[in-house]
């Protein structure tokens, strides 16, 4: 198949390349900053495309002609202090992908959605794909994921005979290669990844319950969807639920219960002061997003996660400790000197468009 992929150099995109290229598929990889063609990025036809540009849809349509499918992975996590830019990237980019697919006659679109697209949980019971898609009000990432699905709903109503649409709704996603990127997005930029070894206390509300999935398992689900030209929404999650004691044990730290309201207040103050890049809305997502029932993916796609949540957490933490990364600018290894240089030249991660 000829497959066009947006956000190809990111976390899931890198894992997807590890599946598609060796299988002989012709992959057109789109990224704002094209990586060096080494490792997983070799054997790909690369094009530099900024989804926030005015001509993004036309550029995508030209590149997509003759493709069997488009996989839309590109999404903004930073800068959290510029939600207008994130909206242009997330919703404007999704609209450009949709317009390009219709213009170029691409028959299958696979959109990477998220557990963040769902409305808040009312109890700790895994939900199916029928759970309301309304997002978490305080987090632009979550609201944009929900709004993007509304765009897809409209496409299916108006153009359902012309294009088949699938949505992948995974839990949190990790892998060793993405560890440096995850570190940059969540801690002050000048703190080296090795500092994770120094953490001795983990101050969290004990009610935290999250699912974690390996990027390779997400890529496997996407490949199965492509192979079957599958349609509709698919939750992806492992069976294990990570709680504070397990997370603390993986870090070698002692868990200390801090009420959620106090945590959120601290996150808000430090984020507003530009001391750290995580907006309080991300805490709201972590504590209120529903757990996922992935029964549909298992029954219809034959999909099963191959890595347990604790093993993925251990892999990511090891990658953080060793500043793991790839040749992609998105997943580049963390280096203290680079962080300092970017901070001086471009400002904090939460304020710059190139992180």
């Amino acid at each position: 198949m000829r497959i066009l992929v947006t956000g190809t150099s990111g976390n899931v995109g890198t894992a997807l390349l590890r599946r598609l290229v060796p299988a002989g598929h012709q992959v057109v990889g789109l990224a704002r900053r094209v990586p060096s063609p080494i490792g997983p990025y070799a054997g790909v036809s690369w094009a530099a495309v900024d989804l926030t540009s005015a001509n993004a849809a036309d550029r995508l349509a030209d590149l997509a002609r003759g493709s069997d499918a488009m996989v839309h992975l590109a999404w903004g996590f930073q800068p959290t202090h510029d939600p207008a830019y994130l909206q242009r990237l997330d919703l404007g980019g999704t609209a450009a992908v949709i317009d390009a697919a219709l213009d170029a006659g691409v028959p299958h679109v696979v959109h990477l959605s998220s557990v963040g697209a769902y409305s808040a949980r009312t109890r700790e019971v895994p939900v199916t794909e029928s759970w309301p898609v309304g997002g978490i009000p305080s987090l632009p990432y979550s609201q944009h994921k929900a709004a993007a699905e509304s765009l897809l709903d409209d496409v299916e109503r108006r153009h359902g005979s012309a294009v088949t649409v699938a949505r992948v709704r995974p839990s949190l996603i990790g892998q060793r290669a993405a560890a440096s990127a995850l570190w940059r997005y969540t801690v002050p930029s000048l703190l080296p990844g090795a500092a994770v070894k120094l953490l001795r206390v983990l101050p969290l509300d004990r009610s935290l319950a999250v699912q974690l999935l390996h990027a390779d398992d997400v890529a496997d689900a996407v490949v199965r969807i492509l192979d079957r030209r599958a349609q509709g929404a698919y939750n992806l999650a492992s069976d294990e639920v990570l709680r504070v004691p397990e997370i603390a044990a993986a870090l070698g730290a002692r868990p200390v219960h801090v009420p959620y309201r106090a945590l959120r207040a601290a996150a808000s103050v430090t984020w507003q002061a530009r001391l750290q890049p995580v907006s309080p809305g991300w805490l709201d997502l972590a504590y209120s997003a529903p757990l996922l029932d992935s029964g549909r993916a298992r029954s219809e796609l034959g999909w099963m996660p191959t890595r347990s949540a604790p093993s993925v957490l251990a892999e990511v933490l090891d990658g953080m400790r060793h500043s793991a990364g790839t040749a992609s600018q998105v997943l580049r290894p963390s280096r203290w000197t680079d962080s300092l240089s970017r901070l001086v030249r471009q400002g904090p991660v939460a304020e710059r468009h190139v992180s």
Side-chain angles (χ1 to χ4, degrees):
M1 286 191 289
R2 186 178 192 270
I3 305 166
L4 185 145
V5 184
T6 71
T8 324
S9 62
N11 186 7
V12 176
T14 298
L16 187 58
L17 291 180
R18 293 196 291 258
R19 290 293 305 273
L20 294 178
V21 175
H25 296 290
Q26 181 184 355
V27 179
V28 179
L30 307 185
R32 186 175 52 182
R33 295 164 291 172
V34 172
S36 300
I38 58 176
Y41 311 115
V44 178
S45 298
W46 286 99
V49 177
D50 184 347
L51 292 181
T52 66
S53 64
N55 66 341
D58 292 338
R59 183 82 195 285
L60 287 173
D62 290 340
L63 292 165
R65 298 192 198 284
S67 295
D68 299 289
M70 294 178 70
V71 180
H72 180 38
L73 307 177
W75 207 261
F77 295 90
Q78 294 288 354
T80 51
H81 283 287
D82 191 351
Y85 171 80
L86 293 178
Q87 182 168 340
R88 293 197 303 274
L89 174 58
D90 299 343
L91 299 185
T94 301
V97 168
I98 291 168
D99 290 345
L102 294 172
D103 185 11
V106 178
H108 194 197
V109 172
V110 182
H111 170 71
L112 183 68
S113 188
S114 167
V115 62
Y118 284 121
S119 301
R121 67 182 180 227
T122 56
R123 53 184 182 147
E124 200 177 290
V125 175
V127 303
T128 67
E129 292 80 0
S130 63
W131 192 255
V133 175
I136 305 301
S138 59
L139 181 63
Y141 166 90
S142 180
Q143 285 293 294
H144 296 169
K145 285 292 188 184
E149 293 223 24
S150 292
L151 294 177
L152 298 177
D153 291 340
D154 186 59
V155 169
E156 290 184 311
R157 283 191 298 267
R158 298 168 55 195
H159 306 283
S161 61
V163 61
T164 298
V165 176
R167 309 117 185 269
V168 181
R169 297 173 182 161
S171 64
L172 301 179
I173 306 169
Q175 62 171 316
R176 191 177 193 277
S180 288
L182 294 172
W183 181 261
R184 282 191 296 274
Y185 288 151
T186 54
V187 300
S189 59
L190 295 184
L191 198 63
V196 72
K197 295 184 289 187
L198 305 178
L199 187 66
R200 291 293 175 263
V201 174
L202 184 64
L204 289 174
D205 188 298
R206 64 172 66 96
S207 65
L208 183 67
V210 297
Q211 292 165 300
L212 182 61
L213 194 63
H214 199 281
D216 285 343
D217 286 326
V218 179
D220 178 59
V222 172
V223 169
R224 291 169 185 267
I225 289 170
L226 290 168
D227 287 344
R228 293 162 172 78
R229 194 172 287 184
Q231 183 175 11
Y234 294 91
N235 288 346
L236 301 179
S238 61
D239 291 331
E240 303 93 350
V241 176
L242 293 174
R243 302 181 188 276
V244 173
E246 290 86 6
I247 298 170
L251 286 162
R254 179 171 61 88
V256 174
H257 174 67
V258 177
Y260 173 72
R261 292 181 65 179
L263 277 177
R264 195 185 193 284
S268 181
V269 168
T270 53
W271 177 70
Q272 292 288 355
R274 275 60 172 177
L275 296 177
Q276 54 86 19
V278 179
S279 70
W282 282 101
L283 274 180
D284 295 337
L285 177 66
Y287 279 91
S288 62
L291 301 177
L292 299 180
D293 179 336
S294 55
R296 185 185 183 204
R298 297 176 190 233
S299 62
E300 294 188 13
L301 304 177
W303 175 85
M304 287 283 289
T306 61
R307 318 282 184 90
S308 68
S311 72
V312 178
L313 177 61
E315 179 178 325
V316 170
L317 292 176
D318 182 71
M320 288 178 174
R321 294 181 185 105
H322 294 91
S323 300
T326 72
S328 159
Q329 277 297 303
V330 179
L331 305 185
R332 66 185 182 275
S334 289
R335 295 185 178 89
W336 184 86
T337 52
D338 290 346
S339 296
L340 177 60
S341 175
R342 290 173 188 271
L343 179 64
V344 172
R345 290 184 290 109
Q346 302 170 1
V349 168
E351 293 184 351
R352 64 180 185 243
H353 298 165
V354 179
S355 58

